[in-house]
């Protein structure tokens, strides 16, 4: 039976990739909405997604965000360098593009996504008087402005194909509404409002889709960004674009000449962003004032599925750690960077920092990185017994990083409860202590690929474990603020 009408389409879209996409957007929104959220919490969300981590680091090192060309090698540094809210908008754009452009997207889907990205950057750059948080809220809302249409186009529904056959690059938003009503039984504005409410995508998106007679400045920016994106498809010298410039001058207070430059700069920025985030077709769909072929697109998609040791990256992260310690960095940020070094530098697929609870009876997870570690905060928790023969007590007695093997011949035999949680036969573990006081442990394994932990992994793990203990020792000597 064909899908028609708002309720049927809302039900159908509950089973698309959009649900997972909105899940991470909600998580990012929760972090940025809370005054108590920290850069470490944002880094933890990003580091759980290896593709997102790679893209964030890549964008942080781009000329746009890093004109000084100072190497940024960790997510923690990227957040510090670029800013909490900007990193959030980068993450949203990455996930939107990654989710919707997977497999073989149709040309119409690519066009709509390109239009959303272009409009989002234009909208954000129109808001010169707003603070960073509100600017990035405009960007995220603009990226989701056409969410209903993009999700419909990802489905295999016959009604979606009928709609797609009747639209093209220059079909106006009003005409798309009429075509959607005809073929889908619901317009994209109504469907978008339903998604925004059901998936809790924010009040600004709802306001932008259905603006009042006096919309907020943010909603006006979202709508104007969308209009710029559409007018640009008709040409920078088209009557539509020239007419739009008049509305833009009223909104910004800038002269026509100043506005023209700003819009051109934003279009170029959108083209650069598309080259870094999207597929090879995406960049061709964004009108830019300059040649788009300067970026080697092939280089952007050559990603290895497996983590491997990277000596250069290990060295850079070690240098970052030294700088953080010398600058009196936050202990949480330092440990986050150490785990990132173990994960991305040493190539260890799953890493955990576990510390003692208040009663010093259990070692429990504080941070966990890697695939399928989402529930380790509650599950990776082990009783500590201060007695001979107790595994964790012996780990602290050894006072060095160790490789533990189930059924091995070593003097330390790990408890079966570790294997029950991790599913691996071997892992690396190191004690954390300062002034003979036990703090916790660092755990790492190759539990995704189940490869063997050879010497290069053991050596890299030992170096970062040593750095962790040095960091603790240095920070312990500093007076408390």
């Amino acid at each position: 039976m064909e899908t028609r009408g708002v309720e049927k389409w809302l039900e159908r879209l509950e089973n698309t990739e959009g649900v997972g996409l909105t899940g991470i957007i909600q998580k990012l929104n929760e972090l940025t909405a809370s005054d108590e959220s920290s850069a470490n919490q944002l880094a933890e969300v990003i580091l759980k997604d290896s593709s997102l981590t790679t893209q964030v680091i890549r964008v942080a090192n781009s000329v746009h965000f890093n004109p000084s060309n100072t190497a940024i090698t960790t997510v923690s540094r990227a957040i510090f360098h670029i800013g909490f809210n900007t990193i959030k908008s980068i993450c949203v754009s990455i996930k939107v593009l990654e989710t919707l452009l997977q497999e073989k997207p149709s040309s119409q889907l690519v066009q709509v996504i390109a239009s959303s990205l272009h409009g989002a950057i234009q909208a954000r750059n129109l808001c010169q008087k707003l603070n960073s948080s509100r600017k990035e809220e405009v960007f995220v809302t603009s990226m989701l402005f056409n969410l209903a249409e993009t999700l419909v186009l990802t489905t295999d529904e016959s009604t979606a194909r009928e709609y797609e056959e009747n639209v093209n690059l220059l079909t106006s938003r009003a005409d798309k509404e009429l075509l959607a009503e005809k073929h889908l039984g619901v317009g994209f504005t109504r469907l978008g409002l339903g998604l925004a409410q059901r998936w809790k995508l924010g009040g600004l998106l709802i306001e932008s889709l259905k603006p009042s007679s006096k919309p907020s400045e943010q909603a006006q920016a979202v709508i104007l960004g969308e209009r710029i994106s559409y007018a640009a498809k008709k040409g920078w010298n088209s009557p539509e674009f020239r007419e739009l410039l008049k509305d833009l001058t009223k909104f910004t207070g800038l002269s026509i000449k100043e506005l023209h430059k700003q819009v051109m700069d934003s279009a170029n920025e959108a083209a650069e962003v598309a080259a870094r985030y999207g597929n090879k077709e995406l960049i061709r769909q964004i009108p830019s004032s300059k040649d788009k072929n300067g970026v080697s697109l092939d280089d952007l998609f050559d990603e290895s599925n497996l983590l491997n040791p990277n000596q250069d990256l290990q060295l850079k992260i070690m240098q970052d750690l030294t700088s953080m310690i010398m600058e009196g960095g936050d202990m949480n940020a330092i440990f986050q960077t150490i785990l990132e070094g173990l994960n991305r530098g040493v190539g260890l697929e799953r890493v955990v920092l576990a510390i003692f609870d208040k009663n010093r009876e259990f070692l429990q997870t504080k941070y966990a990185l890697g695939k399928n570690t989402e529930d380790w905060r509650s599950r990776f928790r082990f009783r500590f017994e201060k007695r001979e023969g107790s595994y964790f007590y012996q780990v602290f007695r050894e006072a060095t990083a160790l490789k533990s093997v189930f059924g091995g011949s070593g003097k330390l035999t790990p408890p079966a409860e570790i294997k029950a949680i991790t599913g691996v036969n071997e892992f690396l573990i190191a004690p954390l202590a300062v002034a003979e006081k036990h703090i916790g442990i660092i755990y790492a394994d190759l539990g995704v690929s189940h490869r063997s932990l050879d010497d290069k992994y053991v050596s890299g793990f030992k170096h970062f474990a040593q750095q962790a203990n040095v960091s603790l020792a240095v920070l312990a000597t500093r007076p408390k603020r």
Side-chain angles (χ1 to χ4, degrees):
M1 188 172 71
E2 66 180 20
T3 302
R4 287 186 63 83
V6 63
E7 289 303 323
K8 288 289 185 183
W9 270 108
L10 286 173
E11 183 180 332
R12 174 65 180 84
L13 296 181
E14 287 284 359
N15 298 314
T16 65
E17 294 293 335
V19 178
L21 167 65
T22 54
I24 194 167
I25 290 173
Q26 287 170 7
K27 194 172 291 184
L28 290 167
N29 282 340
E30 287 169 7
L31 286 178
T32 49
S34 171
D35 293 334
E36 297 178 359
S37 297
S38 68
N40 295 318
Q41 289 173 301
L42 179 58
E44 191 172 357
V45 171
I46 295 169
L47 287 163
K48 287 184 182 298
D49 186 322
S50 60
S51 174
L52 186 58
T53 299
T54 301
Q55 291 279 28
V56 166
I57 296 296
R58 176 179 287 146
V59 173
N61 281 290
S62 67
V63 174
H64 178 75
F65 289 109
N66 190 11
S68 65
N69 202 31
T70 303
I72 295 173
T73 55
T74 66
V75 169
S76 300
R77 275 286 179 184
I79 296 171
F80 175 79
H81 182 77
I82 296 175
F84 194 98
N85 291 300
T86 303
I87 286 289
K88 174 197 166 182
S89 68
I90 289 171
C91 291
V92 170
S93 56
I94 289 171
K95 293 309 295 183
V96 167
L97 297 173
E98 183 182 84
T99 301
L100 298 175
L101 290 174
Q102 59 185 333
E103 298 180 356
K104 294 182 179 179
S106 67
S107 59
Q108 179 62 26
L109 176 57
V110 174
Q111 288 169 10
V112 178
I113 295 170
S115 180
S116 296
L117 178 61
H118 183 199
I121 290 174
Q122 293 284 1
R124 181 186 63 196
N125 292 346
L126 288 174
C127 304
Q128 296 300 322
K129 297 176 183 177
L130 297 182
N131 62 32
S132 171
S133 176
R134 296 182 72 195
K135 280 184 184 179
E136 300 311 328
E137 187 181 5
V138 166
F139 179 91
V140 171
T141 298
S142 297
M143 283 295 296
L144 301 177
F145 193 71
N146 296 307
L147 184 65
E149 184 180 7
T150 55
L151 290 181
V152 166
L153 290 171
T154 62
T155 70
D156 57 2
E157 296 292 327
S158 60
T159 49
R161 300 288 73 79
E162 290 170 10
Y163 164 79
E164 189 171 14
E165 288 168 5
N166 286 278
V167 294
N168 58 49
L169 180 68
L170 298 179
T171 305
S172 69
R173 185 170 184 84
D175 287 340
K176 282 186 175 184
E177 283 291 307
L178 293 174
L179 287 166
E181 287 283 1
K182 177 182 177 181
H183 296 287
L184 310 176
V186 58
F188 289 127
T189 296
R190 196 151 52 102
L191 183 56
L193 285 167
L195 291 173
Q197 290 162 348
R198 184 171 291 198
W199 291 351
K200 297 180 178 145
L201 297 178
L204 181 56
L205 179 57
I206 293 172
E207 183 191 3
S208 301
L209 288 168
K210 192 177 181 180
S212 65
S213 58
K214 292 183 179 180
S216 67
E217 186 176 350
Q218 286 176 290
Q220 289 180 65
V222 172
I223 295 165
L224 286 170
E226 176 73 10
R227 288 179 61 192
I228 293 172
S229 177
Y230 176 73
K233 297 173 189 174
K234 295 206 166 187
W236 296 120
N237 293 316
S238 66
E240 288 85 355
F241 182 67
R242 287 200 298 272
E243 188 65 27
L244 175 58
L245 279 174
K246 297 175 185 177
D247 291 337
L248 293 174
T249 57
K250 292 178 186 176
F251 180 75
T252 63
L254 299 175
S255 67
I256 293 287
K257 184 177 179 180
E258 290 170 325
L259 260 175
H260 196 275
K261 181 181 185 306
Q262 178 177 304
V263 170
M264 291 299 104
D265 289 345
S266 296
N268 292 335
E269 181 186 344
E272 291 167 7
V273 169
R276 295 186 180 280
Y277 293 165
N279 67 9
K280 296 180 182 181
E281 279 300 312
L282 189 65
I283 188 174
R284 298 183 180 95
Q285 300 295 339
I286 296 181
S288 169
S289 68
K290 63 184 180 182
D291 180 15
K292 308 183 188 85
N293 297 319
V295 179
S296 175
L297 292 172
D298 289 330
D299 293 343
L300 301 181
F301 305 99
D302 183 22
E303 300 289 349
S304 171
N305 289 326
L306 295 176
L307 285 170
N308 286 293
N310 183 326
Q311 294 284 351
D312 290 339
L313 184 56
Q314 289 180 47
L315 179 60
K316 288 174 182 175
I317 293 177
M318 281 291 191
Q319 291 169 342
D320 274 355
L321 282 167
T322 301
S323 297
M324 291 171 77
I325 294 169
M326 296 297 291
E327 294 166 6
D330 172 66
M331 194 69 242
N332 288 318
I334 289 172
F335 274 124
Q336 192 84 50
T337 302
I338 287 169
L339 293 195
E340 195 174 339
L342 289 169
N343 181 237
R344 296 178 50 244
V346 181
L348 292 159
E349 294 167 342
R350 303 186 301 184
V351 291
V352 174
L353 168 68
I355 61 174
F356 281 100
D357 64 0
K358 291 181 180 179
N359 296 323
R360 302 188 64 77
E361 294 178 353
F362 288 90
L363 285 162
Q364 56 190 27
T365 300
K366 182 171 179 64
Y367 297 119
L369 297 181
K371 190 174 182 180
N372 300 326
T373 61
E374 290 80 7
D375 62 349
W376 282 19
R377 276 187 178 275
S378 57
R379 295 184 63 220
F380 198 97
R381 184 173 186 269
F382 305 103
R383 180 176 290 279
F384 178 77
E385 297 178 344
K386 193 174 180 180
R387 60 174 177 79
E388 293 292 336
S390 166
Y391 175 76
F392 290 108
Y393 179 68
Q394 288 299 120
V395 166
F396 283 104
R397 287 282 296 271
E398 292 293 322
T400 187
L402 303 163
K403 177 179 177 180
S404 282
V405 181
F406 287 96
S409 57
K411 57 184 176 181
L412 286 182
T413 303
E417 56 186 326
I418 295 180
K419 188 173 184 179
I421 293 169
T422 65
V424 296
N425 288 318
E426 58 181 12
F427 60 88
L428 300 171
I429 191 167
L432 295 173
V434 58
E436 298 186 358
K437 181 180 179 180
H438 301 160
I439 305 298
I441 60 160
I442 297 176
Y443 167 98
D445 67 30
L446 291 175
V448 177
S449 63
H450 292 279
R451 289 171 290 167
S452 176
L453 286 164
D454 59 27
D455 290 344
K456 60 181 179 289
Y457 293 107
V458 176
S459 175
F461 180 78
K462 285 184 176 180
H463 286 150
F464 276 92
Q466 289 169 356
Q467 186 67 45
N469 279 295
V470 168
S471 302
L472 280 170
V474 171
L475 293 177
T477 63
R478 291 190 176 146
K480 294 183 180 179
R481 296 178 182 178

